[in-house]
Amino acid sequence: MAQTISPSTVDATEVLDVELQNIVKTFGEETAVQGLNLQIRQGEFFGILGPSGCGKTTTLRMIAGFDAPTSGQLTIQGKSMHGVPAHRRSVNTVFQSYALFNHMSVWDNVAFGLKVKKFPKADLRQRVGEALTLVQMESFAKRYPTQLSGGQKQRVALARALVNRPAVMLLDEPLGALDLKLRKQMQVELSNLHQRLGITFIMVTHDQEEALSLSNRIAVMKDGQIEQVGSPNEIYEHPNTAFVADFIGDTNLLSGRIQQHPWTLTMASGLQVNIAPTHLGDGTPADISLRPEKIQLMAQDHTASPHNHANHHQGEVKHTLYTGPHIHCIIELTTGERLRVLQPNHIRYQPGDKVHVAWAAADCQVLAPSSSP
Ligand code: ATP
């Protein structure tokens, strides 16, 4: 899915569709969202990602107007949403559960909102027709939701939101109920729809791959706060914290102390990992993230060894896990650390094989501590 990578920070001159300033939401004793700041550009596909209970849905519900912030400022297209009810905001929400009316046909489901608003009949017919065409469901107009597949129901739910021509589409785990194959297909359709419409999409998901492949930018949340906002590439290649590194994809987290001259992370076992220069001072405790696909593996009986890398160690294969296109290998270094290494599936190692492991200093991402424990 081709997309332009947008800078992670928003320029003061850029047009914003949604802005959250210091938003807090409490439910009794429970703080669901604590001091959230977000700036979402017009036309952006913005992903909100994080584990269960981190406050994603609460954030979306506040933008939609289903919940009011306890404190803070929320603006949509420059206007404060304080006291503005959901139906007066130019946003529409699509839920994982579709929320379709089973006793109404597809056509009536999509037309429902416009009928409530007492739209003139001719306009209504045109808009409903257009919305169904956008999601390729025009030939299903007379069917009832119970006669549709999960993917078709989700398309109707999208049409029902799009018929209102919102400035901002809110998507709460929209593909969560679909099986993997259909989910992948619907991801492409969502991306196409976003590109064709040019409106802002804000999507909540806990599927990291989905967020990476669809979003222009992603906010990773933890315990009601934002850990990092950035383009998919920044979030994956340059995670700021151990939480982000671990939550987005697989990684090896190594803990130790920074040393200069040369720049290394020295671990308690004595393992020295060469790293790129960092702003952290000599002796500072730090974690690094090393992605499994950045590590090279080579059998020890191989004539060439991967000496051209800054880091080069010996180890033994402990486990292998076949996942189809890849094989995950767990390698135990002679110093005792275990590293997860990703290999293409045509290269087969067996537990017990002696191997060289090697990686570049630039592939060691030095992490800041997480915002909360
Ligand atoms: P999930 O991925 O499981 O949907 P989430 O990240 O969307 O999780 P939220 O639904 O926003 O998380 O919930 C954040 C926190 O706020 C949770 O601890 C949840 O229990 C709490 N919470 C949410 N809604 C309410 C409510 N109406 N009353 C009390 N607590 C709530």
Side-chain angles (χ1 to χ4, degrees):
M1 271 165 260
Q3 64 193 350
T4 44
I5 306 275
S6 40
S8 55
T9 48
V10 175
D11 196 276
T13 58
E14 288 186 71
V15 183
L16 296 179
D17 251 358
V18 179
E19 188 167 19
L20 279 71
Q21 288 175 288
N22 223 1
I23 293 284
V24 174
K25 178 67 187 174
T26 55
F27 296 101
E29 297 284 288
E30 175 88 29
T31 303
V33 167
Q34 27 184 331
L36 212 63
N37 290 294
L38 266 185
Q39 295 183 310
I40 300 172
R41 294 186 180 99
Q42 200 173 66
E44 193 165 32
F45 199 131
F46 193 89
I48 302 180
L49 186 63
S52 186
C54 72
K56 306 180 295 292
T57 297
T58 304
T59 303
L60 215 63
R61 286 178 61 82
M62 287 189 285
I63 300 171
F66 300 137
D67 281 327
T70 308
S71 63
Q73 266 288 333
L74 198 156
T75 54
I76 296 178
Q77 297 190 313
K79 293 192 194 98
S80 167
M81 288 296 112
H82 185 74
V84 179
H87 66 276
R88 294 211 178 279
R89 300 185 182 195
S90 60
V91 300
N92 273 96
T93 311
V94 176
F95 301 97
Q96 174 180 344
S97 60
Y98 320 125
L100 298 178
F101 302 120
N102 281 335
H103 62 286
M104 286 185 192
S105 67
V106 164
W107 178 276
D108 287 335
N109 262 284
V110 177
F112 182 77
L114 299 184
K115 279 187 184 162
V116 171
K117 288 182 193 158
K118 306 219 180 312
F119 250 67
K121 273 206 175 114
D123 288 356
L124 179 143
R125 259 200 304 277
Q126 191 193 341
R127 277 218 193 181
V128 174
E130 279 173 10
L132 285 174
T133 306
L134 262 175
V135 298
Q136 296 154 36
M137 285 297 286
E138 60 276 41
S139 57
F140 293 83
K142 291 196 176 130
R143 289 224 197 152
Y144 284 80
T146 49
Q147 300 168 315
L148 301 176
S149 70
Q152 291 165 340
K153 281 186 208 169
Q154 197 50 290
R155 283 194 204 125
V156 178
L158 280 166
R160 199 178 51 176
L162 291 170
V163 82
N164 296 307
R165 300 193 179 153
V168 181
M169 278 277 278
L170 303 176
L171 305 148
D172 192 357
E173 293 276 1
L175 312 180
L178 308 179
D179 66 50
L180 190 64
K181 206 165 172 73
L182 189 54
R183 192 172 176 136
K184 297 267 175 225
Q185 185 190 327
M186 286 296 290
Q187 285 172 0
V188 177
E189 290 187 22
L190 258 190
S191 177
N192 287 341
L193 202 56
H194 173 252
Q195 277 172 13
R196 250 183 301 158
L197 295 171
I199 63 173
T200 306
F201 278 29
I202 306 178
M203 185 179 72
V204 155
T205 177
H206 48 234
D207 181 331
Q208 21 141 334
E209 221 179 284
E210 187 164 287
L212 290 174
S213 60
L214 290 177
S215 314
N216 298 117
R217 285 190 307 147
I218 298 170
V220 182
M221 288 185 70
K222 181 192 174 208
D223 299 336
Q225 291 180 311
I226 290 183
E227 284 273 305
Q228 189 172 354
V229 179
S231 67
N233 181 274
E234 283 169 323
I235 295 274
Y236 185 78
E237 297 288 343
H238 304 289
N240 282 342
T241 65
F243 175 81
V244 174
D246 203 29
F247 190 73
I248 312 285
D250 270 338
T251 200
N252 295 288
L253 289 173
L254 304 174
S255 303
R257 282 184 186 276
I258 300 285
Q259 283 184 338
Q260 294 181 15
H261 320 298
W263 285 99
T264 51
L265 179 95
T266 304
M267 301 183 61
S269 67
L271 181 74
Q272 291 209 320
V273 181
N274 289 298
I275 59 172
T278 162
H279 64 282
L280 297 179
D282 212 26
T284 314
D287 293 333
I288 58 169
S289 161
L290 174 61
R291 297 286 186 197
E293 71 275 15
K294 305 284 188 193
I295 303 175
Q296 245 189 44
L297 263 193
M298 204 176 272
Q300 278 187 18
D301 56 8
H302 202 277
T303 45
S305 63
H307 278 302
N308 54 342
H309 281 86
N311 292 288
H312 173 224
H313 301 278
Q314 296 189 351
E316 183 182 315
V317 178
K318 286 292 173 188
H319 300 285
T320 60
L321 191 68
Y322 181 82
T323 63
H326 297 110
I327 297 174
H328 292 254
C329 299
I330 305 295
I331 311 296
E332 190 172 277
L333 303 184
T334 45
T335 40
E337 286 80 12
R338 287 193 167 203
L339 295 179
R340 182 180 272 264
V341 181
L342 198 67
Q343 288 285 287
N345 71 0
H346 62 274
I347 303 176
R348 297 286 171 96
Y349 288 101
Q350 302 295 333
D353 285 353
K354 304 286 185 202
V355 286
H356 295 288
V357 288
W359 64 90
D363 290 328
C364 300
Q365 181 67 30
V366 179
L367 305 167
S370 280
S371 59
S372 47

